[in-house]
Amino acid sequence: MRLRIAILGSTGSIGVQTLEVVGLYPELFEVVVLTANSNWQLLARQARKCKPKNVLISDPLFFEPLRNSLKDLPVEVLSGSVADVVGQADVVVNALVGYSGLAPTIAALKSGKRVALANKESLVVAGELVMRLSEENRAPIIPIDSEHSAILQCLTGEKSKPRRLILTASGGAVRDVPLGSLKNVSVGDVLDHPNWKMGPKITVDSATMVNKGFEVVEARWLFGVDRIDVVIHPQSVVHSMVEFADGAVKAQLGTPDMRTPIAYALGYPERLGLPYEPLDLCGDLSFREVDHARYPALGLVRRCLERGGTACCALNAANEVAVEAFLAQRIGFLDIVPLVEGVLERVGNVHGPALEDYVAINGEAKRLAREMIYGDNC
Ligand code: NDP
Ligand code: MG
């Protein structure tokens, strides 16, 4: 029996690469659901190629053109909530970006599906709830994020809990820009990542290191380890490391190519063969400490993790609005983190939150962030 796969966010960077990996193994995988937000043309092409049972477009504006373009195929075309289509699959690949990924993660876990999780924001916003649902419903979460895939690969076969996780960070696209010039970097500079070709939001998060902070939170929830350090590793070849009580450190290495962690999540616990360039080990691998003056976001995210409750949810919400404003050239690169801090000072923190609390805080933090950027008439 082939594994039925739902790819949520199939038109994005991770979604497209997931389809590529799945396409290498038609005898193992059957794509049953594809979703996008607005890119109906690409979604239609993908549907024509792999003939899923359902395609869903979130933005209702594009429902008619999508349906018309697929009317000769036996595909059910839907619009509305992504969370409603996860029931069709055995494995749900969540490649949505931002808070929009949370509800589908929750729905997939509640129906006992295996979740191959790229959408780290699900764990940043509501890690406690998401992990509880995973445990209660015996629905495993296999990370796609390369650092967490690396840690999972280092831990597979180990009986001892690690004493420390070490996440590697590229430092983002403007890593080598002098501190004094950072305020002038353009959207183009920030999106020009040296090692990874990713969606715009995570590429900006990588430059501020909000992304690495999110990955600390993600690792905390996935692996239950409190001591998590970050080192800058400009080559993005060592994807992360695990240290044990005897001082031994295990690392996972590979080319910076998301198709490897995607394949690991789909095949887990087996490995799928991939026909791509193997790693060439000749070359420098270097590591250095994070400069916190350059990357204040890392400390900010850590403080939110310590504070607990809905603090990380508020942080994520404010960051989503700030990144959107930066990409629209409404604020500068160095405005992003202070804006998020400003929202955190003004928004409340709910301890022991239920889903409704996360929803409310997400809405409130986004409203505050918009007010701070655009004034009262937003
Ligand atoms: P992209 O922006 O490239 O793709 C996002 C996908 O989600 C698209 O299919 C998009 O549809 C859809 N989408 C966006 N907003 C909504 C919404 N409000 N409702 C429904 N669907 C929506 O993102 P990435 O692929 O780069 O990232 C996806 C996730 O994976 C993120 O959480 C990111 O942090 C994580 N990740 C990504 C990595 C990478 O290499 N890209 C590496 C590690 C983690 P449409 O195309 O129509 O806009
Ligand atoms: Mg990562």
Side-chain angles (χ1 to χ4, degrees):
M1 268 274 281
R2 297 191 297 169
L3 268 186
R4 294 170 304 166
I5 313 278
I7 306 176
L8 314 181
S10 62
T11 50
S13 159
I14 294 290
V16 165
Q17 294 179 84
T18 303
L19 272 170
E20 199 185 313
V21 172
V22 166
L24 295 171
Y25 286 96
E27 69 284 11
L28 295 183
F29 304 118
E30 176 192 5
V31 176
V32 291
V33 175
L34 295 174
T35 84
N37 187 40
S38 58
N39 191 349
W40 66 271
Q41 294 98 330
L42 178 56
L43 185 59
R45 284 200 299 279
Q46 292 176 335
R48 202 159 278 286
K49 193 160 174 206
C50 53
K51 310 208 172 44
K53 291 192 170 59
N54 289 158
V55 296
L56 181 141
I57 188 102
S58 293
D59 189 332
L61 214 62
F62 304 105
F63 172 69
E64 278 306 330
L66 179 67
R67 192 171 59 172
N68 281 336
S69 71
L70 292 174
K71 59 175 182 283
D72 57 317
L73 291 185
V75 176
E76 193 176 352
V77 180
L78 305 162
S79 185
S81 160
V82 182
D84 294 344
V85 288
V86 299
Q88 313 262 353
D90 304 307
V91 178
V92 175
V93 178
N94 188 340
L96 298 168
V97 62
Y99 180 86
S100 69
L102 176 62
T105 294
I106 289 178
L109 295 173
K110 280 187 172 165
S111 49
K113 309 294 178 187
R114 182 209 282 198
V115 178
L117 188 67
N119 180 257
K120 63 189 84 188
E121 293 92 343
S122 292
L123 286 166
V124 171
V125 171
E128 207 174 333
L129 173 71
V130 166
M131 294 315 291
R132 193 174 68 235
L133 290 174
S134 165
E135 203 173 299
E136 281 172 6
N137 296 288
R138 295 207 175 94
I141 300 174
I142 315 294
I144 284 181
D145 212 351
S146 58
E147 295 77 3
H148 306 77
S149 176
I151 291 168
L152 178 63
Q153 293 177 56
C154 291
L155 291 178
T156 297
E158 291 286 349
K159 296 235 173 345
S160 310
K161 199 174 167 178
R163 74 176 173 197
R164 182 164 77 113
L165 307 179
I166 306 156
L167 302 180
T168 50
S170 69
V174 290
R175 176 187 66 206
D176 300 321
V177 173
L179 264 187
S181 309
L182 269 184
K183 64 175 183 307
N184 299 322
V185 296
S186 68
V187 170
D189 297 331
V190 170
L191 291 183
D192 188 19
H193 199 286
N195 305 341
W196 301 97
K197 176 107 192 57
M198 310 181 285
K201 193 224 172 218
I202 185 177
T203 309
V204 177
D205 287 348
S206 171
T208 56
M209 263 212 202
V210 163
N211 180 55
K212 208 49 57 179
F214 281 3
E215 291 181 354
V216 169
V217 179
E218 188 184 4
R220 162 68 189 78
W221 291 117
L222 284 172
F223 304 109
V225 174
D226 288 322
R227 198 166 160 209
I228 305 169
D229 292 328
V230 174
V231 288
I232 301 253
H233 168 49
Q235 297 83 10
S236 300
V237 164
V238 173
H239 294 309
S240 275
M241 294 171 264
V242 169
E243 182 185 85
F244 294 93
D246 57 0
V249 175
K250 279 170 85 175
Q252 186 261 334
L253 282 70
T255 52
D257 185 336
M258 287 308 296
R259 293 172 299 186
T260 307
I262 290 169
Y264 191 72
L266 290 173
Y268 184 82
E270 307 284 335
R271 283 187 189 271
L272 304 173
L274 293 177
Y276 309 128
E277 276 295 292
L279 177 64
D280 178 2
L281 264 176
C282 297
D284 290 337
L285 294 182
S286 57
F287 302 90
R288 62 173 191 259
E289 268 180 42
V290 175
D291 171 0
H292 288 278
R294 178 179 285 274
Y295 299 110
L298 187 56
L300 181 65
V301 183
R302 282 190 188 280
R303 289 193 293 282
C304 286
L305 177 62
E306 275 160 29
R307 212 175 297 154
T310 50
C312 286
C313 170
L315 178 143
N316 174 71
N319 181 62
E320 278 186 27
V321 174
V323 169
E324 211 176 86
F326 171 68
L327 289 170
Q329 299 182 37
R330 296 295 295 263
I331 62 171
F333 178 66
L334 287 185
D335 297 328
I336 297 174
V337 177
L339 214 139
V340 172
E341 265 177 310
V343 170
L344 286 168
E345 278 160 21
R346 291 165 67 185
V347 78
N349 189 13
V350 182
H351 284 281
L355 182 57
E356 309 80 74
D357 300 310
Y358 291 118
V359 175
I361 291 288
N362 175 63
E364 176 63 2
K366 282 189 172 161
R367 191 190 61 74
L368 284 169
R370 288 195 185 106
E371 196 179 286
M372 286 168 70
I373 298 168
Y374 308 106
D376 285 339
N377 48 355
C378 52

